[in-house]
Amino acid sequence: MAAAAAPRRDVQGPREESPLERKVYMDYNATTPLEPEVIQAITEAMWEAWGNPSSSYPAGRKAKEIINAARESLAKMIGGNPPDIIFTSGGTESNNLVIQSMVRHFRESQMAKEDGVEALGNGAKPHFVTCTVEHDSIRLPLEHLKEDGVAAVTFVPVSKVSGQAEVDDVLAAVQPTTCLVTIMLANNETGVIMHVPEISQRIKALNSRRVALGLPRILVHTDAAQALGKRRVDVEDLGVDFLTIVGHKFYGPRIGALYVRGLGELTPLHPMLFGGGQERDFRPGTENTPMIAGLGKAAELVSKNCEAYEAHMREVRDYLEARLQAEFGQKRIHLNSQFPGTERLPNTCNVSIQGPQLQGHLVLAQCRTLLASVGAACHLDLGDRPSPVLLSSGVPFDVARNALRLSVGRSTTKAEVDLVVEDLKQAVARLEGSA
């Protein structure tokens, strides 16, 4: 299976590396390297499609063609329609665009007395439902809206048994003023897959009753950043109205996109920016053609190879977990991302090596081969404080404090797993004073 080589951060030189001098990257949930085909697509666009996509001369027309082809590739990857894809700067913008758009849509509907919102009364605020383990680009915008008195928000706790936001709990949080339910498709730290299809089905059934009662329709959004490229993602199966796409999570460039079902017709979207009218006025600004070309190529590779990627990552991840248990003993290894009966991403192993001196950040500091993290990249300022995601998921404090998030990629090998396990063994020995 063709795949991008894992990033190498060691110094190249004439001498041969010893096994423990080699660096093994296991932080693919944080970011991924560009596939060679993606680099080629970006480079070709820089040379051949440097023109403004809104211009009529050849270089401009070429840029527009590349953008349209990329839009088609993204739509194919998620089972959607090309006109429903909007290019953005990344996942943070896509998530914020959905949230801010729903605030504006609620206000405008309230003012126009459309969709029966007069039943809510004057001064009603839009209400959002999400869960406690969302990415900061969902959590923080909603917290700010709540603090500013603009919106009401319910953060549904995830189950300490399944690690998931349970469907009944999400539905129980719905209020008359609820306008959006946003639940991530897969968690970035545990890899847990959420019940998005079931939530969408239940919300759809609820909406038919809400319309009869004169209440606004609830839309459903999922941040699919971690799932894309690791498992099949289909917007028809999910039943969502919005879906966030993040290129650098599936070996593409650091831009993103937003899927909006029936953009501007079935599903409202209001721009946060105003300018030259690009992206049909929903996201103006001269398009970044080379990066869009790379994003399209990355999506094309996922469409062609997703099953192979998934199978390879699962095999290597399962081998990693088995080797850790064999080396350290099952009583000492706590697999924080394993919840009975819960599906998870094929590449994610959140693990704690139990011991009073083995906090995750201390273990990583002692590693000479492993390149990984203790959790989400946006939470690296936590120090030795445990991950809020793990604590919310029922992982005990002392166990969560020792957590390592190991995420394998398309090119990770079992031989590299062996190097990492040996590296961890020596790091633990040094910390415990027995090296």
Side-chain angles (χ1 to χ4, degrees), residues 231-428:
R231 67 195 304 270
R232 282 292 175 192
V233 174
D234 190 295
V235 292
E236 295 306 316
D237 293 340
L238 295 173
V240 294
D241 302 292
F242 302 101
L243 183 139
T244 292
I245 298 168
V246 181
H248 74 98
K249 303 296 188 181
F250 56 95
Y251 293 72
R254 288 175 184 164
I255 63 168
L258 177 66
Y259 163 81
V260 185
R261 183 182 298 275
L263 176 60
E265 296 178 3
L266 294 177
T267 306
L269 189 72
H270 297 280
M272 290 194 299
L273 306 174
F274 299 90
Q278 293 86 354
E279 294 299 286
R280 290 157 287 165
D281 278 327
F282 292 111
R283 205 287 183 181
T286 303
E287 301 92 335
N288 189 342
T289 306
M291 295 303 107
I292 290 174
L295 185 63
K297 177 56 71 172
E300 180 183 326
L301 293 172
V302 169
S303 295
K304 290 180 179 178
N305 304 311
C306 191
E307 285 80 6
Y309 295 155
E310 182 178 3
H312 172 77
M313 288 186 284
R314 178 173 284 107
E315 181 180 1
V316 174
R317 191 274 312 277
D318 290 350
Y319 178 74
L320 169 64
E321 293 181 344
R323 287 283 289 112
L324 288 169
Q325 289 179 321
E327 193 63 51
F328 292 97
Q330 291 192 10
K331 291 185 177 180
R332 199 172 190 197
I333 288 292
H334 191 280
L335 296 172
N336 305 317
S337 49
Q338 284 192 5
F339 296 87
T342 298
E343 185 183 2
R344 58 178 171 146
L345 292 174
N347 78 317
T348 304
C349 167
N350 195 304
V351 62
S352 295
I353 306 171
Q354 301 193 64
Q357 300 168 325
L358 303 180
Q359 288 86 1
H361 70 102
L362 296 179
V363 172
L364 289 179
Q366 289 292 326
C367 286
R368 297 172 181 175
T369 298
L370 174 64
L371 301 173
S373 66
V374 296
C378 54
H379 291 156
L380 290 184
D381 59 348
L382 289 174
D384 65 351
R385 287 176 291 162
S387 158
V389 169
L390 295 183
L391 295 177
S392 296
S393 302
V395 178
F397 184 93
D398 288 340
V399 176
R401 192 169 57 175
N402 288 17
L404 305 171
R405 184 186 69 174
L406 308 179
S407 49
V408 304
R410 298 173 186 176
S411 64
T412 310
T413 66
K414 291 182 179 179
E416 288 177 323
V417 168
D418 292 336
L419 289 175
V420 164
V421 172
E422 180 62 25
D423 191 31
L424 286 170
K425 180 182 176 182
Q426 295 192 21
V428 168

Side-chain angles (χ1 to χ4, degrees), residues 102-117:
M102 291 310 301
V103 170
R104 182 173 169 186
H105 177 68
F106 183 91
R107 285 176 172 173
E108 291 186 356
S109 298
Q110 179 81 342
M111 291 176 62
K113 303 299 182 183
E114 293 176 353
D115 299 327
V117 293

Side-chain angles (χ1 to χ4, degrees), residues 83-102:
D84 293 343
I85 299 292
I86 294 292
F87 292 109
T88 68
S89 62
T92 294
E93 181 185 343
S94 293
N95 288 342
N96 276 265
L97 180 56
V98 171
I99 291 169
Q100 297 297 335
S101 183
M102 291 310 301

Side-chain angles (χ1 to χ4, degrees), residues 24 150 214 227:
V24 177
V150 173

